[in-house]
C-alpha cells in the first residue's frame, strides 16, 4: 500500500519547490537580461562587420582600379610613343613595308612645291 506523506514532509517538499521556483525565476531574469544585452550588441557587431566588409571591398576595388588605370596609362604612353616614332620617321614597321616616313613626305612635298616656283 502507498503511504501518504506526513504534513511535515509535504511542507518540506513545498518549501523545496518554492526555493527551486525562486531560483528558476532568478535564472529566467538573468537570461532575459542577457538576451536584452545580446539584442543591443548584435546591431553594433553587425554594423562593425558590415563596415569591415565594405572597407575590404572598397580597398579591393581601389587596388583593381589603380591597376587598371596604370595599364591604361601604359597603353596611352605606348600609343604616343608609336605616334612619335611615325612622326619622326623612326617607325620600324613602316620602314620595313617600304612606306616613306612623315618627315620624308614633308621634304618631298617641300621639294615639289619648290620645283613649281
Amino acid at each position: 500500500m502507498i503511504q501518504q506523506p506526513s504534513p511535515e514532509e509535504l511542507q518540506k517538499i513545498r518549501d523545496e519547490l518554492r526555493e527551486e521556483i525562486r531560483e528558476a525565476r532568478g535564472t529566467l531574469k538573468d537570461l532575459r537580461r542577457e538576451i536584452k544585452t545580446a539584442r543591443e550588441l548584435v546591431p553594433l557587431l553587425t554594423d562593425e562587420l558590415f563596415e569591415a566588409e565594405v572597407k575590404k571591398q572598397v580597398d579591393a576595388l581601389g587596388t583593381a582600379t589603380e591597376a587598371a588605370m596604370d595599364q591604361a596609362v601604359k597603353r596611352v604612353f605606348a600609343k604616343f610613343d608609336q605616334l612619335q616614332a611615325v612622326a619622326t620617321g623612326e617607325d620600324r614597321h613602316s620602314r620595313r613595308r617600304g612606306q616613306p616616313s612623315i618627315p620624308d613626305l614633308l621634304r618631298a612635298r617641300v621639294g615639289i612645291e619648290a620645283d613649281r616656283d
Side-chain angles (χ1 to χ4, degrees):
M1 185 165 167
I2 300 177
Q3 187 180 14
Q4 293 287 329
S6 69
E8 292 83 26
E9 289 175 334
L10 287 174
Q11 189 174 9
K12 183 180 176 186
I13 292 172
R14 183 191 69 190
D15 292 342
E16 288 174 4
L17 287 173
R18 284 183 177 169
E19 181 59 30
E20 287 183 24
I21 289 171
R22 226 178 278 116
E23 287 178 24
R25 285 183 179 156
T27 302
L28 182 60
K29 186 177 178 181
D30 291 344
L31 286 172
R32 286 182 177 149
R33 186 175 45 245
E34 291 301 320
I35 289 171
K36 182 180 177 185
T37 302
R39 285 186 177 152
E40 291 170 355
L41 289 177
V42 166
L44 297 174
L45 294 174
T46 303
D47 289 346
E48 288 176 12
L49 291 172
F50 182 74
E51 287 176 18
E53 183 63 25
V54 168
K55 183 178 178 347
K56 178 181 156 189
Q57 295 293 329
V58 167
D59 289 345
L61 179 62
T63 302
T65 302
E66 187 175 343
M69 288 173 50
D70 288 345
Q71 290 298 324
V73 168
K74 287 177 185 177
R75 285 194 306 269
V76 168
F77 282 153
K79 283 290 185 185
F80 275 111
D81 290 343
Q82 184 182 8
L83 287 173
Q84 179 187 6
V86 168
T88 59
E90 298 172 4
D91 181 33
R92 294 182 181 133
H93 299 292
S94 298
R95 286 185 175 181
R96 277 190 231 146
R97 288 183 264 164
Q99 296 174 338
S101 66
I102 292 177
D104 291 341
L105 289 173
L106 290 174
R107 279 187 222 105
R109 176 77 177 196
V110 169
I112 293 172
E113 293 199 11
D115 288 341
R116 286 188 189 165
D117 292 334

